[in-house]
Amino acid sequence: MGRDFRCEAVLRENGVEISRWEVKLPDLPPMSEQTMQVEIPECRKLGREYHLEFSISRKTDTWYSKAGEEMGKRQFELAGEVLPAQILSSGKTVFLAETETEFKVSGESFTAVFSKETGGIITLIKDGIHYLAGGLTPCLTRPITGLDVQPGWGWYDIVSQLEGMVPKAARPVIFTAEGQIRLEFPWKMQSKANVLAEGKTCYTVADGKVEIEYTIRLPESWPFVPRAGVELILSPGLEHIRSYSRGPLENYCDRKLCALIQVWESTVSEQHFPFSPPSETGGHEDTRWLEIHDPNGGRLRIEAEKPFHFDVRHHAIRDYTVGHEHDMPVRAESYLHIDAAHGPIGSDMAWSTAMPGEYCLTGGTYSLRFILETCK
């Protein structure tokens, strides 16, 4: 093996490559194995996360491939941890105002507006840049997959009962502290098929930062839910993506070994793949943090206390109900989903109704805490 193939090791610290070296492979006959010891050349630091990956490539040309062609790659997580994000008061005073339909939290150069009706965010502005055009609403559905493509197919009859759910929020409990205001919105939402979900969305607002905690509860007996998360609508112009997660290839809980955990960059436009018919696309698992930038230097950063799933596209979920790609509207704003959990897509066989049981999301309680930070 060592005569024909080359092995390269890469060490990543918090998703960024910090070391690369060649690992000598032993000469092994076919169908044999040997244990190897690999020395890691860097000292690991407290509060950092590390991943070690190995890439096997050909040393020489063959009649069917060129030297340097990668034959396989695998990534391993090493001992370590990422410190959770914390919201810290800037020391700047924030104010709370109330109208008939909304709550407004504002500071020196920051404004966040919340809907009394849904408990979601209507507007988020920092230093004159508009970051959100709405959202932060509970979301349980996604575009079609091979699991639920049409009536009578697979899980369609279950999943379709979750459509059309809009949260109705009760009056929030409000807490105030120096430099911070906290609003806790309990809510309920019911589908046309009378499926009931309930939960709570909590916001702790400081100047330029919003800590969000959400909890979603479904009946324990519910057999399958595609996702448990929230949807945000990003203002036009937020296009460039930088993320510490699995990528840049799309990936899901039952299809993710092809995507390494690393810091990668892309755009919102590149997250949509033109499947026929239009289908679920652009998901990313094991996300530590996510940044989306606009051309004027504005940056929206999302960092959670535990890994989450995200997707972001210039299409709403409802846009994927059309039959053809050319019928889909391309919207100026972006639809971002931050999921505490995201279900499988049935990767054992393309467009089948088979779903790996260990990944299936059922009824129960799902929650996530993350920091939404606006900055330039």
Side-chain angles (χ1 to χ4, degrees):
M1 181 177 181
R3 290 173 295 183
D4 301 320
F5 298 97
R6 177 175 181 267
C7 179
E8 189 172 55
V10 173
L11 180 65
R12 296 184 185 276
E13 180 184 87
N14 286 358
V16 177
E17 180 182 323
I18 60 171
S19 188
R20 181 184 291 263
W21 70 100
E22 186 171 347
V23 176
K24 185 177 180 180
L25 297 175
D27 288 324
L28 294 177
M31 307 303 292
S32 62
E33 61 182 42
Q34 178 178 324
T35 301
M36 296 174 55
Q37 184 172 343
V38 178
E39 297 292 333
I40 299 177
E42 299 285 338
C43 295
R44 281 175 277 172
K45 304 170 186 176
L46 294 175
R48 308 285 177 88
E49 188 177 45
Y50 294 89
H51 290 87
L52 179 64
E53 58 199 54
F54 297 97
S55 173
I56 305 295
S57 60
R58 294 189 182 277
K59 281 186 176 180
T60 57
D61 291 346
T62 70
W63 62 271
Y64 55 86
S65 64
K66 296 292 186 181
E69 178 186 7
E70 187 175 76
M71 305 301 296
K73 179 179 283 188
R74 190 65 183 267
Q75 186 180 63
F76 300 89
E77 185 174 351
L78 305 180
E81 62 177 350
V82 172
L83 298 177
Q86 295 183 343
I87 186 167
L88 301 174
S89 172
S90 63
K92 297 180 180 179
T93 303
V94 290
F95 303 92
L96 176 66
E98 180 179 356
T99 70
E100 186 177 341
T101 59
E102 61 191 36
F103 291 98
K104 179 179 179 181
V105 179
S106 58
E108 183 178 314
S109 58
F110 175 81
T111 301
V113 181
F114 303 90
S115 167
K116 284 186 174 181
E117 182 178 3
T118 66
I121 295 179
I122 299 173
T123 307
L124 186 63
I125 304 171
K126 172 71 172 178
D127 294 326
I129 298 177
H130 291 249
Y131 289 93
L132 294 183
L136 222 303
T137 52
C139 187
L140 301 172
T141 60
R142 64 183 178 186
I144 61 169
T145 71
L147 297 172
D148 50 20
V149 62
Q150 62 186 12
W153 176 280
W155 294 85
Y156 180 91
D157 294 337
I158 297 296
V159 172
S160 62
Q161 294 183 59
L162 300 173
E163 294 177 355
M165 303 180 83
V166 178
K168 298 293 183 182
R171 182 173 180 83
V173 178
I174 301 173
F175 301 90
T176 59
E178 184 177 355
Q180 296 182 9
I181 292 175
R182 181 176 173 87
L183 300 93
E184 299 184 352
F185 286 93
W187 52 262
K188 293 182 180 181
M189 59 183 187
Q190 191 165 6
S191 72
K192 295 179 181 178
N194 293 322
V195 179
L196 178 66
E198 59 183 357
K200 181 187 287 187
T201 305
C202 305
Y203 306 92
T204 302
V205 187
D207 189 70
K209 286 187 177 183
V210 183
E211 178 189 89
I212 298 164
E213 303 165 67
Y214 69 81
T215 300
I216 297 173
R217 289 185 294 275
L218 276 165
E220 294 285 347
S221 59
W222 191 254
F224 174 56
V225 59
R227 67 160 21 113
V230 291
E231 179 182 84
L232 300 90
I233 304 175
L234 307 185
S235 298
L238 288 162
E239 176 68 16
H240 185 81
I241 299 171
R242 188 167 182 264
S243 177
Y244 178 21
S245 61
R246 289 193 182 270
L249 301 172
E250 70 171 17
N251 53 91
Y252 295 84
C253 61
D254 59 335
R255 195 187 75 189
K256 64 181 184 179
L257 288 182
C258 62
L260 303 182
I261 299 175
Q262 59 185 316
V263 175
W264 56 272
E265 297 187 37
S266 184
T267 65
V268 175
S269 297
E270 291 171 341
Q271 297 306 294
H272 171 78
F273 186 85
F275 289 116
S276 183
S279 310
E280 168 63 33
T281 182
H284 295 279
E285 285 284 320
D286 299 324
T287 307
R288 277 64 170 167
W289 53 257
L290 164 70
E291 294 180 347
I292 305 182
H293 303 242
D294 77 356
N296 299 318
R299 175 164 54 97
L300 186 69
R301 181 182 173 92
I302 295 167
E303 186 170 358
E305 64 178 0
K306 64 180 182 181
F308 59 93
H309 178 104
F310 88 89
D311 59 64
V312 57
R313 301 178 290 252
H314 287 300
H315 309 280
I317 293 175
R318 63 183 180 274
D319 297 335
Y320 286 82
T321 58
V322 300
H324 302 282
E325 175 76 15
H326 62 263
D327 293 326
M328 293 186 68
V330 179
R331 302 180 184 274
E333 63 269 26
S334 303
Y335 290 77
L336 169 65
H337 297 95
I338 304 295
D339 298 335
H342 194 103
I345 57 171
S347 292
D348 291 343
M349 183 184 298
W351 287 89
S352 75
T353 59
M355 176 164 41
E358 65 268 31
Y359 300 117
C360 181
L361 300 186
T362 60
T365 300
Y366 299 90
S367 61
L368 185 68
R369 170 188 169 271
F370 62 92
I371 303 293
L372 191 67
E373 181 178 5
T374 59
C375 48
K376 293 188 71 174

